[in-house]
Amino acid sequence: MRKWIPVIIALISVAEFWAYVEVGERLGVGKTIFLTLATSIIGGLMMQFEGRKVMVDAKAQMSGGQVPGRMMLDGICVFAGGIMLLAPGFITDIVGFTMVFPLTRPIYRLLLMKWIGKKIKEGKITFFRR
């Protein structure tokens, strides 16, 4: 997987550049820059709000004696989505918004659970119970 990271970064960069060119041609430079700044600000606020909500829910589960497994995955999704929203680009903003937004987050949570389950079966992730 690590050998594919430079390729993935290059593909994302090319796709983001293409998206900027397309949006810039259709809306103009000023509106494109405004849209980029607006999505970053709105995304940061959404990440902050959703992150606090996830933390409160996780604390409630822990105080009730439960393991906040789903909340941990939600927290990972909110954090990753927030990073994508703060990075400039329209494609990463779309993915970031869907990761932070509560109605679409279960899709990413399911993918993350499958990935973690696969890594546990392969023996690349271990965990210890008390």
Side-chain angles (χ1 to χ4, degrees):
M1 176 65 185
R2 289 185 183 179
K3 62 183 176 183
W4 290 103
I5 291 177
V7 174
I8 292 170
I9 290 172
L11 289 174
I12 290 172
S13 298
V14 168
E16 290 289 4
F17 180 74
W18 175 79
Y20 262 107
V21 169
E22 287 296 317
V23 172
E25 285 179 355
R26 296 183 197 286
L27 297 180
V29 175
K31 290 179 184 176
T32 303
I33 293 171
F34 172 76
L35 193 58
T36 302
L37 293 174
T39 57
S40 292
I41 291 169
I42 292 169
L45 293 173
M46 275 184 70
M47 180 181 71
Q48 194 175 31
F49 177 77
E50 289 297 324
R52 282 188 182 138
K53 197 165 80 170
V54 167
M55 288 295 292
V56 168
D57 291 346
K59 284 180 183 178
Q61 282 186 347
M62 285 190 292
S63 66
Q66 298 175 337
V67 177
R70 193 184 120 236
M71 290 297 125
M72 294 296 286
L73 294 176
D74 278 351
I76 291 169
C77 289
V78 168
F79 180 74
I83 295 297
M84 289 181 150
L85 285 167
L86 294 176
F90 294 116
I91 297 170
T92 54
D93 284 348
I94 291 169
V95 175
F97 274 121
T98 59
M99 289 181 90
V100 173
F101 193 63
L103 296 177
T104 54
R105 194 179 315 139
I107 297 166
Y108 295 100
R109 188 174 53 229
L110 180 66
L111 293 172
L112 193 57
M113 283 176 47
K114 284 183 180 182
W115 181 79
I116 290 172
K118 179 183 167 190
K119 293 296 180 183
I120 289 173
K121 284 182 183 178
E122 292 174 356
K124 294 184 178 180
I125 295 177
T126 57
F127 61 94
F128 301 98
R129 292 186 183 171
R130 291 185 192 188

